[in-house]
Amino acid sequence: MNKPKNFSDFFALSMTKFFRLIADTFFAKRYGHRAVVLETIAGVPGMVAGMLIHLRSLRSMQTGYGEQIREMLAEAENERMHLMFFIEIAKPNAFERFLVIAAQGVFMTFYLFMYIFFPKTSHRMIGYFEDEAVKSYTEYLNLVESGKVMNIRAPKIAIDYYNLHKDAQLSDLITSVRADEMHHAEVNHNYADNLNSSKEHNHNYKNPKELDSKEVA
Ligand SMILES: [Fe+2]
Ligand SMILES: [Fe+2]
């Protein structure tokens, strides 16, 4: 667990606890439904951050942003795939579909402005969100492995995506998805650690190795 070190981190952690409380209230132990709805939210931050850094690179007409743009867009794509796996496992009801539409409108707007003004806090918050996702998927995995939730066949789309064995089960899928969430947590906490202030962030995004290499975009 990445311990909060300053006000920015505490704010990010408080927001995470607040969102976790909402998720716990709505879904309790219905992990399949929880995964479907939360993955629709998880696909937002990478796209927002990737777009904003892309636009910054265009405005500044400078290289060095490519690695982070690609990483953030890949995160968004990966989260969208998580949604596609879990939609095969839990079909959302009408209320959950409404919730997804409302949550996308609210969260997308909130995160867009949060990232413009406080990119460091934004990455920290997503790092904490991802830590929570790892916990939730671990709880889900425990239920499946203990037999409380049926360990059904993994959907074909997930088997193809992760190159799993053809008889792979839900437990294999959850383990693979959890590994992705661990990676997202590490990446976002890392970005938060390396951003010093919103004023300096132009420079902090630059990866010196990338600038030195031939690939400069
Ligand atoms: Fe995810
Ligand atoms: Fe994630």
Side-chain angles (χ1 to χ4, degrees):
M1 170 86 187
N2 207 299
K3 290 242 158 33
K5 296 179 202 81
N6 48 39
F7 178 74
S8 162
D9 292 354
F10 274 110
F11 178 79
L13 188 59
S14 307
M15 291 302 293
T16 308
K17 286 190 172 156
F18 171 68
F19 284 118
R20 166 104 205 189
L21 187 73
I22 294 178
D24 286 345
T25 309
F26 273 117
F27 304 108
K29 302 282 173 210
R30 294 161 63 235
Y31 285 100
H33 288 255
R34 184 188 186 112
V36 167
V37 175
L38 293 188
E39 292 296 356
T40 71
I41 306 283
V44 170
M47 188 56 74
V48 168
M51 177 188 73
L52 289 174
I53 303 162
H54 170 82
L55 293 176
R56 184 178 308 133
S57 176
L58 299 181
R59 285 196 307 276
S60 66
M61 301 179 201
Q62 285 179 340
T63 58
Y65 296 96
E67 189 182 306
Q68 193 177 12
I69 295 169
R70 286 189 289 273
E71 179 72 46
M72 289 291 97
L73 295 182
E75 181 187 295
E77 165 73 4
N78 181 238
E79 301 289 18
R80 192 179 66 85
M81 290 311 294
H82 291 173
L83 170 65
M84 298 309 151
F85 308 149
F86 286 109
I87 200 86
E88 300 271 326
I89 288 159
K91 299 275 179 265
N93 58 33
F95 175 68
E96 285 164 348
R97 284 184 182 273
F98 166 76
L99 197 69
V100 165
I101 295 166
Q104 186 173 93
V106 172
F107 185 72
M108 160 77 197
T109 311
F110 168 76
Y111 195 74
L112 179 71
F113 286 100
M114 184 174 176
Y115 199 90
I116 290 171
F117 296 108
F118 308 105
K120 181 185 173 79
T121 312
S122 302
H123 280 300
R124 183 68 74 206
M125 185 176 83
I126 301 307
Y128 286 136
F129 277 21
E130 302 287 355
D131 288 338
E132 290 300 323
V134 172
K135 280 187 219 161
S136 293
Y137 281 120
T138 301
E139 289 161 16
Y140 191 11
L141 185 62
N142 289 341
L143 287 181
V144 173
E145 286 181 338
S146 66
K148 292 193 180 110
V149 169
M150 219 182 6
N151 199 3
I152 54 172
R153 291 276 298 271
K156 185 176 179 307
I157 186 172
I159 293 175
D160 293 345
Y161 183 80
Y162 289 117
N163 224 346
L164 298 172
H165 188 264
K166 68 176 178 35
D167 299 322
Q169 291 175 290
L170 177 59
S171 54
D172 302 304
L173 166 60
I174 298 171
T175 305
S176 303
V177 169
R178 186 178 60 173
D180 290 340
E181 310 298 14
M182 284 173 184
H183 173 71
H184 302 158
E186 196 189 326
V187 164
N188 280 281
H189 280 309
N190 232 349
Y191 286 147
D193 288 343
N194 292 316
L195 278 171
N196 294 322
S197 73
S198 56
K199 275 187 190 144
E200 288 174 45
H201 65 220
N202 273 3
H203 302 288
N204 285 316
Y205 280 126
K206 286 175 194 156
N207 177 349
K209 267 194 228 145
E210 191 180 359
L211 283 175
D212 288 339
S213 72
K214 291 221 169 66
E215 193 211 341
V216 289

